[in-house]
Amino acid sequence: MKRFMFVLLFVLVLFSSCSLIGDKNIAVVNGKGISVEELYRYMPAANFNALPPEEKQAQVDRICDDYLARYYLEDHGDLDSGDVYWEIRVWEIKELANGAFQDLIIDKILTDKAMNSLYEKMKYELDVSHLLIGYSNASRKLNDRSREEAETLVNELSQKINADNFTDLVMEYSDDGSKAENSGHLGWAKTGRWVEEFENAAFELKPGEISGPVETPFGFHIIRLNERREIPVPPFEEMRQDIVELAYNRWRQQFIDRQNEVFDSLMTANPLEIDSLKLEDFLDRYNRLSTNVFYSNQFTTFDIMDIFADTLSVGKLGDMDIDKEWIVEYLKTISLQAPPRFTDARSFGSLMEQSLMGSLLNKAAINLGLQKSKEYKKTRNVYLAKKASTLFDKLYVFEMITPSRDELLDFYEKSKSELYALDARVRVKEVLLDNETTADSILQKIRSGEAIEDLASKHSIRNIGKKNRGLIPPVKKDQYGEMSLAAFNMKDGEIGGPYKIGKHFSVIQRVEFIPESYRDYEAVSYRLLTDYRSKHMEQKRLEQKQMLRKKYSVRINKSLIK
């Protein structure tokens, strides 16, 4: 289910794992099951089930590889420190806060009953007509009458309207500006087309029935259901995302009201109390460190926070201390690398403003036990497996490729035509101009003996040419359209133009032809190791996957592959 994002936000298997495989697991890796639900977090059920067996096998193998990488990194402590630790921690904070938001707000409105009701409506199209009586303070003013006058009129019309006179009364009284073209007939529409009050009333009618007065933001309506027809729709699960989006659009104000109610309740239960003297002392010391010690951009606010004792505290949020750990943690949610520095109480207040509700929602999630729920654990398993796969590639594949200098030299010789070739180029002097007539005039002056260097310095609109007396960086054959093509076909010293380059016009003199060559070894030494590793990455990755499958047990549920 889609969530609102808040601010923030195989070898022989161990005998013991045999009982785990069951129909609910796609595989057992290292004695731990990977559930079907985790598979469906990688790929929707419908997409997976539509795959042929060999592609299902490949998908499950890839997922098992991710989990193998996770267990290897966990065993080596690679997920417990540095930036990776904080990436995981920030994900946990946001995921739990989002979970509480879902539980306390979204799920209270978007119930199973509400979802099913919307789904049932999606199975039909309605053909309706209406009569609209507007009033002056409606959200869309269609008539100057008061609401009371509109209500009186619509009630009178409701008493006498019937199938025979419906159209006549529409033409006489309706404030719908389109009645002249459609006589109140709105045509066929699916759920979501009309405002909720109108739609609910229309769906309650049987074909041929006329409703009583129905008030919407446009005024009062009398609705006639002309016809209802059933339309094919996919199964509920396939439509779930569409249903959720329809609900968010339809009940937006309900979600906002519920959010405000929950936030007010959380703030009441967890009052924020900042000790102004402690905050002032903290900010004073922080700013002195920021100005006098950590003034360089190479330092971040985290370097400054490291100086403070773990006992630092500037207040409380309910029973939570606004201490060093809290400040660092929520700075990390803003930016893992370089969040803004504090400058004064207002900038600290900005951190509080961005983090307050996330912190309270995170606390609410823990109080609700969401961190122990199967849903959260499965989501976390998939997140860690995907993250581990990327990190394992970096630490134990890419960085494990360590060629000798001789191997790099051999790689350079074999790869230079593919990776380090320099295309043939032509060096030219150029005068680039905005106007073709001016370009023609410049060409004639050059042919009459005026130096192209002087003319370029005076007239060229290409800055580098103007600065370098017409000389621009060597030109590739396809770099400047007809100008570069012409340059390749000229002889050294020959003049030509004007050639169109976009909206401009170029007059050139060819200086020299530079044949195809290669960057020398030293010039590309800075990227050789990376290129070598990239070239050998797939082979090393295969070796490391084989290593993981020898180290850890893997058993796949073959019944899910068929």
Side-chain angles (χ1 to χ4, degrees):
M1 183 179 293
K2 181 179 177 181
R3 289 178 173 169
F4 271 86
M5 293 301 294
F6 177 74
V7 193
L8 300 165
L9 213 241
F10 288 151
V11 292
L12 290 177
V13 67
L14 294 176
F15 179 79
S16 61
S17 71
C18 293
S19 61
L20 292 174
I21 194 134
D23 291 334
K24 294 183 178 180
N25 289 327
I26 62 164
V28 175
V29 177
N30 194 30
K32 303 179 182 70
I34 303 174
S35 69
V36 173
E37 289 88 350
E38 288 167 66
L39 162 67
Y40 294 156
R41 282 167 171 76
Y42 273 84
M43 173 182 288
N47 293 7
F48 179 80
N49 293 327
L51 295 175
E54 62 274 14
E55 291 187 27
K56 287 182 179 178
Q57 178 73 54
Q59 181 67 27
V60 172
D61 282 342
R62 282 192 291 270
I63 294 170
C64 289
D65 287 337
D66 288 357
Y67 279 74
L68 286 166
R70 172 191 168 182
Y71 298 135
Y72 189 88
L73 294 180
E74 287 179 338
D75 288 348
H76 287 74
D78 294 313
L79 301 181
D80 298 331
S81 61
D83 289 345
V84 177
Y85 165 83
W86 279 111
E87 286 176 24
I88 295 171
R89 179 65 190 130
V90 166
W91 179 89
E92 291 171 339
I93 291 169
K94 292 181 177 180
E95 185 68 17
L96 285 171
N98 287 331
F101 193 94
Q102 182 82 26
D103 189 271
L104 296 172
I105 298 168
I106 304 302
D107 290 348
K108 294 298 183 287
I109 298 171
L110 201 54
T111 62
D112 289 342
K113 181 179 179 180
M115 294 273 286
N116 282 315
S117 176
L118 288 176
Y119 179 65
E120 287 302 313
K121 287 182 178 180
M122 287 180 164
K123 296 178 179 180
Y124 298 93
E125 281 186 321
L126 304 183
D127 178 52
V128 302
S129 298
H130 80 140
L131 183 156
L132 172 60
I133 303 300
Y135 52 87
S136 59
N137 58 340
S139 63
R140 183 177 176 186
K141 183 179 177 180
L142 299 172
N143 194 289
D144 289 330
R145 68 173 68 90
S146 68
R147 183 186 178 281
E148 291 74 17
E149 291 170 332
E151 189 171 17
T152 299
L153 176 57
V154 78
N155 284 329
E156 291 174 359
L157 293 172
S158 181
Q159 294 300 315
K160 61 182 181 181
I161 200 165
N162 56 50
D164 295 329
N165 64 13
F166 188 91
T167 301
D168 291 338
L169 293 177
V170 166
M171 298 307 292
E172 183 176 353
Y173 292 101
S174 182
D175 292 318
D176 186 341
S178 64
K179 69 180 182 182
E181 291 79 35
N182 60 28
S183 301
H185 183 213
L186 300 179
W188 290 98
K190 301 175 184 178
T191 183
R193 165 78 177 276
W194 305 302
V195 294
E196 186 175 12
E197 301 90 344
F198 187 101
E199 182 180 286
N200 288 343
F203 268 91
E204 289 295 320
L205 299 173
K206 295 177 181 179
E209 283 188 339
I210 298 173
S211 74
V214 177
E215 187 171 10
T216 77
F218 298 96
F220 292 98
H221 305 255
I222 297 175
I223 306 167
R224 182 177 70 188
L225 178 60
N226 302 316
E227 195 175 347
R228 177 198 302 262
R229 65 187 178 195
E230 194 167 351
I231 57 174
V233 292
F236 179 88
E237 284 304 320
E238 292 181 30
M239 291 293 289
R240 181 178 289 273
Q241 188 62 40
D242 294 315
I243 297 168
V244 171
E245 290 178 3
L246 175 60
Y248 285 163
N249 290 327
R250 170 147 295 180
W251 302 329
R252 185 177 302 276
Q253 191 57 50
Q254 289 185 52
F255 286 117
I256 292 171
D257 292 343
R258 175 65 185 174
Q259 173 181 305
N260 292 337
E261 178 186 338
V262 169
F263 288 0
D264 289 344
S265 175
L266 290 175
M267 284 300 300
T268 300
N270 299 273
L272 175 62
E273 299 175 359
I274 296 295
D275 187 315
S276 57
L277 292 177
K278 288 182 179 180
L279 177 60
E280 183 180 351
D281 180 67
F282 162 67
L283 290 173
D284 178 64
R285 187 181 176 201
Y286 178 98
N287 281 312
R288 282 189 281 113
L289 287 166
S290 180
T291 303
N292 301 322
V293 181
F294 297 101
Y295 53 86
S296 169
N297 288 335
Q298 67 179 309
F299 299 112
T300 71
T301 194
F302 298 124
D303 297 306
I304 302 171
M305 290 302 302
D306 280 343
I307 300 298
F308 290 89
D310 292 341
T311 55
L312 168 71
S313 178
V314 298
K316 297 184 77 68
L317 179 58
D319 60 0
M320 294 182 289
D321 284 319
I322 308 298
D323 55 11
K324 177 181 176 179
E325 181 182 2
W326 191 98
I327 294 169
V328 169
E329 195 162 76
Y330 283 93
L331 282 170
K332 288 288 186 180
T333 66
I334 294 171
S335 171
L336 285 166
Q337 302 299 330
R341 296 194 183 197
F342 301 130
T343 54
D344 50 26
R346 178 178 292 182
S347 62
F348 185 81
S350 178
L351 168 67
M352 296 301 300
E353 185 178 339
Q354 294 181 66
S355 308
L356 194 61
M357 203 49 61
S359 179
L360 291 177
L361 284 169
N362 187 256
K363 178 183 177 181
I366 292 169
N367 290 339
L368 290 166
L370 298 187
Q371 78 282 11
K372 300 175 183 178
S373 70
K374 291 181 180 180
E375 179 80 11
Y376 173 76
K377 288 179 179 179
K378 289 170 183 174
T379 303
R380 185 176 184 273
N381 282 344
V382 172
Y383 167 77
L384 289 178
K386 289 181 176 181
K387 174 161 286 297
S389 177
T390 302
L391 185 60
F392 183 87
D393 255 10
K394 177 180 183 294
L395 297 179
Y396 296 100
V397 179
F398 191 76
E399 292 181 5
M400 294 286 285
I401 301 171
T402 54
S404 66
R405 177 175 171 81
D406 285 346
E407 287 173 320
L408 285 175
L409 280 166
D410 183 59
F411 172 77
Y412 167 77
E413 289 299 329
K414 291 178 179 178
S415 305
K416 63 183 181 182
S417 61
E418 176 189 353
L419 300 176
Y420 312 119
L422 290 170
D423 294 335
R425 292 159 295 157
V426 173
R427 195 182 303 280
V428 301
K429 293 178 181 177
E430 176 201 54
V431 185
L432 187 65
L433 300 144
D434 280 325
N435 181 276
E436 186 174 13
T437 302
T438 306
D440 280 325
S441 173
I442 292 293
L443 177 62
Q444 295 308 315
K445 288 181 179 181
I446 297 169
R447 285 177 171 165
S448 297
E450 291 192 42
I452 189 173
E453 297 85 353
D454 295 337
L455 292 168
S457 298
K458 185 175 181 181
H459 299 289
S460 185
I461 62 171
R462 193 187 297 278
N463 289 334
I464 192 167
K466 189 178 186 75
K467 180 180 178 181
N468 295 330
R469 293 178 57 75
L471 201 61
I472 64 173
V475 174
K476 296 179 183 179
K477 195 168 189 177
D478 58 355
Q479 189 170 354
Y480 292 120
E482 61 181 52
M483 182 271 265
S484 46
L485 284 173
F488 267 78
N489 291 319
M490 289 179 174
K491 297 178 180 178
D492 291 353
E494 190 175 344
I495 296 164
Y499 305 109
K500 200 170 188 311
I501 304 177
K503 296 179 180 180
H504 309 301
F505 298 88
S506 174
V507 176
I508 61 171
Q509 181 180 41
R510 174 161 147 169
V511 176
E512 64 173 329
F513 174 75
I514 305 171
E516 180 181 313
S517 60
Y518 306 100
R519 293 180 176 89
D520 62 40
Y521 180 89
E522 293 304 324
V524 299
S525 59
Y526 72 95
R527 56 175 282 194
L528 264 176
L529 178 58
T530 298
D531 291 342
Y532 183 96
R533 285 172 165 173
S534 298
K535 193 77 170 180
H536 293 81
M537 187 83 168
E538 199 53 47
Q539 177 60 37
K540 187 66 177 179
R541 184 182 286 118
L542 179 60
E543 292 172 8
Q544 293 299 76
K545 284 182 179 180
Q546 292 171 343
M547 177 274 292
L548 290 173
R549 291 188 178 235
K550 288 178 181 178
K551 183 175 179 64
Y552 301 106
S553 61
V554 176
R555 183 174 179 176
I556 293 175
N557 187 346
K558 295 296 184 180
S559 66
L560 292 174
I561 305 301
K562 296 177 182 178

